[in-house]
Amino acid sequence: MYDAIIIGAGMSGLAAGIRLAHYDQRVCILERHTTIGGLNGFYRLRGRDYDVGLHALTNITPKGTRKGPLARLLRQLRLSWDDLAISPQIGSEIAFPSARLRFNNDLDLLRSEVARAFPGEVDNFERLIAAVVEYDDLTDEHAAISARVRLGELLDEPLLVEMLFCPLMFYGSAREHDMDWGQFSIMFRSIFMEGLGRPYAGVRLILKHLVRKFRALGGELKLRSGVSRLEVENGKVSRVVLDSGEVLEGRRVLSSAGWCETMRMCNDGTPVDASRSPGRLSFCETIATLDRQPKQLGHDRTITFYNDQEEFVWTPPAEPCDLRSGVICSPNNFDYDEPLGDGVMRITALANFDYWRGLDERAYELEKLRWYDAITASAVRFVPDYRQWVVDTDMFTPTTIVRFTGHDNGAVYGAPEKQIDGRTHLDNLFICGTDQGFVGIIGSIVSGISMANMHCLRD
Amino acid sequence: MTKDEIRAEVLDILADIAPDEDLSSLDDSKSFREQMELDSMDFLDIVMELRKRHRVQIPEDDYVNLASMDSTVEYLHPMMKDM
Ligand SMILES: Cc1cc2nc3c(=O)[nH]c(=O)nc-3n(C[C@H](O)[C@H](O)[C@H](O)COP(=O)(O)OP(=O)(O)OC[C@H]3O[C@@H](n4cnc5c(N)ncnc54)[C@H](O)[C@@H]3O)c2cc1C
């Protein structure tokens, strides 16, 4: 009998596991896949290391900062700032046809950029910052109001509104077209006021630390151990049944598999609440390895968020991929002590899950090639054309995300309605990760920590 | 445990929670919250570390006593003096 069984060895599951194992609980993490990491894993292909998701870590505050999610996470997991070896971004950009806004980890740059591009908005922008700072993630009752409505009240220039939404939605909106004011404030702080950074070695460094710590504390990790069923008796999960038929028992179960995904595992016929649709926002991602550093092509931006029209559209596209907007990331353009070996350009674009799922194997491979080219052609309108220096490529689609994480629709940020308290209809079943509330790498780690604290460490 | 030993133990817990913090300049009479910006999650950790290490149970109503080093040592001493 375990004290806790955790479903999923992504960021949130591992973080929850560390908390519980640290306080001497018998913990077992069950992961269906052959490796850890989930939405943010890593892999090796043709002799090169790749990260699945990681563009940048958000919430990056300098060493010694005591406030904010990163500082809290380090204390809770007993990690030192130096363990993550994070290098800050060099500088990023929001690129629209008629305006560009640069930003880095010092809010003053964005302030001056807003003043340059939107001179009439200087005071309004300060009011927006004040409102964002004022928002309290734990108590604020305005969390669910529309960010579009709120921004409409605070700012006069519709273009500035769209330009601010673009990076914040790309990095963390499960809701289409709009964001909750709470989520907007959290994302605004984590990207514009705290900042972006990356460990030189990428996401594997973070995962390695998490899994090592978990194991050193006596935690058990079982890979290739998908959970197929949660057996329910008297309002509780009584047994956890694996794909192999093996049965485990735990006093509590914490699931990072997603809300709908977890409900479907329960064998009490829990109807999945229809208002709780899984999210639909998914991505295609192209990765190009270059034979030189992006800087040698004149590209020094860390992340470029682009959109080729005045309005930023945040819904699943009718086309296989949305070619109007995207995120271009060069992992080389962080402030490291020494340069990364290969030059890399990654592009994220919104994608249509149903289209990609419907293809047979041959068509899928061909469409990947076709859309790799289309996405790249769209992106090089905003950054130097790097296509002639490409030595290797990879690409993934919404179906790749489903295969490796089991999330419905390949929804990267999960369901639009979050279950903030992590509770379910069963006394000893809780959810953490993407569908609980916080998204992104730092967000999901914080989610795992807080759900472990709230539901599994109070007795 | 003497008061000094309890203080050393609390300091060890703080060092564990915040490895990057310089604790040599901690003012025992000032609140942890003010000096180290500890939040409610951190206070819960101090409570749980005390339980894990010394089996000391601190009811939620008593958390206020953990505000500063002085008040924490004062509060813990009766419970820990015979350990
Ligand atoms: C393309 C892409 C780019 C991204 N870029 C960034 C970025 O630059 N910065 C950032 O901060 N975030 C980024 N993210 C988001 C970030 O990866 C996620 O928010 C975060 O990793 C979510 O962690 P999680 O623990 O909630 O979920 P997951 O990582 O999905 O973990 C869930 C785990 O549960 C396992 N599982 C599911 N069902 C079962 C089952 N039945 N039995 C056993 N195991 C099961 C899955 O295999 C998975 O490992 C990106 C995501 C993607 C896809």
Side-chain angles (χ1 to χ4, degrees), chain A residues 288-302:
Chain A
T289 306
L290 314 183
D291 68 359
R292 59 198 65 199
Q293 299 283 316
K295 271 193 204 109
Q296 291 170 266
L297 313 175
H299 179 61
D300 70 344
R301 296 293 85 193
T302 309

Side-chain angles (χ1 to χ4, degrees), chain A residues 6-15 29-41 51-59 170-171 187 196-197 203 222 224-229 241-243 255-258 261-262 265 282-285 303 327 329 346-348 396 401-407 410-414 432-436 438-445 447-448:
Chain A
I6 296 172
I7 305 176
M11 296 287 174
S12 63
L14 288 168
I29 302 183
L30 301 170
E31 169 58 54
R32 177 166 275 147
H33 197 38
T34 53
T35 63
I36 59 171
L39 282 168
N40 240 300
D51 282 342
V52 176
L54 178 68
H55 284 176
L57 294 172
T58 56
N59 303 92
F170 260 116
Y171 273 9
M187 293 306 299
L196 304 176
V203 81
K222 292 183 195 253
R224 296 184 188 81
S225 300
V227 174
S228 63
R229 199 167 72 243
V241 184
L242 306 191
D243 296 337
S255 171
S256 66
E261 296 84 341
T262 303
M265 287 180 216
S282 194
F283 296 148
C284 276
E285 175 111 350
I303 319 263
V327 185
C329 168
R346 314 178 56 119
I347 310 166
T348 307
F396 65 78
I401 299 176
V402 173
R403 192 160 58 216
F404 289 108
T405 70
H407 287 302
V412 172
Y413 299 125
C432 68
T434 309
D435 279 354
Q436 181 265 321
F438 299 114
V439 302
I441 296 170
I442 301 294
S444 53
I445 293 177
S447 166

